[in-house]
Amino acid sequence: MDDEIPDVLLRLLRPPGPPPRRLLLTGWFSFLHGEATAGDVLAQRHASAVLDRAGVRHDTAWSPGFRPDALSLETADPGAYDTLLFVCGPLHGPHVAALHEKFGNCRRLAAGVSVIDPADPAVTGFHEVVPRDGTPAPARRDLAAAAPVGALPPVAGLLLSHGQGEYGERRRHERVNERLTGWLAAKDCVRLSADTRLARDDWRLCATAEQFLALVSRLDLVVTTRLHGLVLALRTGTPVIAVDPVVGGAKVSAQAEAVGWPAVIGADALSARVLDHWWDWALSGDGRTAACRHSKG
């Protein structure tokens, strides 16, 4: 459709006269105290792809809180750009309005945005606005909807034990949990914290065992220091990396031995190298096949 935001944006970038010399791509993801949501970042990616196809040289300004080593609005030189493009989110408030003052030398465009008040200086400061909604014109599809994306990463459930004081001086729960979360944070994956504890007065927890099994069955793998994290993940056919947080081994190691599950690591053998080995195995065909075999009893 010729009224899609990317198409209208391309027309705006090709007015009579010379094309943009260099463009600064901005959005709420650019503000120090703004938000870099998944939708905002995908909108940026889509706009950047459109600019690339049009041959428009451009940079993106990122919030220092999201990408501290990248170009920011604070470090960008307004004199280096002749065009500013703002994408996604509402055109509202002092942060957006301040762009017009700092980049007053630029032709300022906004695309894929919500217009709350057409008379807001945050809106009127732009030379052209291609709204997604908020005006009498029909709503347009958001830029994030068709943004280019890569392969989706795995979803890893993390089930940790924090108690078990009965093991006394053999407990290494805090150290093990710190190592596991630090290691997992560096993985390209979706990290989902889960709990085997059931409750009917807390919406964040499962209320029945069947709900918990439904959750685990939808994960690509589970990383756990809990015995039932191991047992119930295998019951659903989900591969598990089990870590025993008790020195010398306790119930997690014993259960892994009882069911013949190989991906178990002792507290005194925990390392990134060993975790990486079992991560690769769990996400491989071999890991999934082994877990499915266990799910059949």
Side-chain angles (χ1 to χ4, degrees):
M1 297 173 58
D2 62 3
D3 62 346
E4 290 289 334
I5 292 170
D7 299 308
V8 179
L9 177 57
L10 282 175
R11 290 202 297 272
L12 290 179
L13 293 170
R14 294 169 180 166
R21 175 173 52 84
R22 194 168 192 90
L23 179 147
L24 183 63
L25 180 55
T26 66
W28 281 95
F29 51 81
S30 305
F31 300 132
L32 177 61
H33 300 294
E35 292 184 345
T37 69
D40 290 340
V41 171
L42 286 175
Q44 179 278 336
R45 190 180 300 176
H46 195 170
S48 182
V50 170
L51 295 171
D52 283 338
R53 289 197 299 272
V56 176
R57 298 172 63 211
H58 63 282
D59 301 315
T60 296
W62 293 101
S63 167
F66 180 59
R67 294 188 179 173
D69 298 327
L71 179 74
S72 69
L73 288 175
E74 289 70 30
T75 59
D77 176 11
Y81 304 95
D82 62 352
T83 306
L84 179 138
L85 172 62
F86 187 94
V87 297
C88 201
L91 292 188
H92 173 75
H95 294 303
V96 179
L99 292 175
H100 304 310
E101 180 176 353
K102 179 167 184 176
F103 296 92
N105 62 300
C106 293
R107 180 173 182 245
R108 297 178 300 283
L109 312 174
V113 293
S114 295
V115 176
I116 311 302
D117 176 6
D120 189 327
V123 178
T124 59
F126 286 99
H127 295 91
E128 299 282 352
V129 175
V130 182
R132 65 184 175 192
D133 57 70
T135 70
R140 294 182 171 96
R141 188 167 63 153
D142 184 72
L143 280 165
V149 296
L152 300 184
V155 180
L158 183 64
L159 289 83
L160 299 177
S161 172
H162 299 278
Q164 301 179 342
E166 62 271 22
Y167 289 106
E169 293 183 357
R170 296 170 59 202
R171 291 182 71 258
R172 297 293 185 274
H173 293 61
E174 290 76 13
R175 187 182 72 182
V176 165
N177 292 348
E178 183 178 356
R179 288 188 176 181
L180 276 179
T181 53
W183 166 76
L184 198 59
K187 287 292 184 185
D188 181 18
C189 69
V190 179
R191 292 162 289 277
L192 178 65
S193 179
D195 200 325
T196 57
R197 182 168 66 91
L198 304 180
R200 295 187 179 275
D201 59 350
D202 188 339
W203 65 269
R204 294 166 295 185
L205 298 173
C206 296
T208 67
E210 287 80 8
Q211 290 177 12
F212 181 79
L213 291 171
L215 167 64
V216 174
S217 70
R218 286 161 172 79
L219 300 173
D220 293 305
L221 80 160
V222 164
V223 180
T224 188
T225 59
R226 303 193 70 97
L227 179 149
H228 284 123
L230 167 65
V231 171
L232 299 181
L234 290 181
R235 177 167 181 160
T236 68
T238 302
V240 189
I241 301 174
V243 180
D244 195 325
V246 179
V247 171
K251 58 186 179 181
V252 173
S253 298
Q255 190 60 209
E257 182 179 359
V259 301
W261 184 250
V264 59
I265 309 168
D268 48 1
L270 188 61
S271 70
R273 180 183 62 82
V274 175
L275 286 166
D276 286 342
H277 165 76
W278 287 118
W279 174 274
D280 292 339
W281 179 81
L283 292 174
S284 72
D286 291 341
R288 177 61 67 174
T289 297
C292 288
R293 187 166 57 245
H294 280 77
S295 71
K296 296 178 173 61

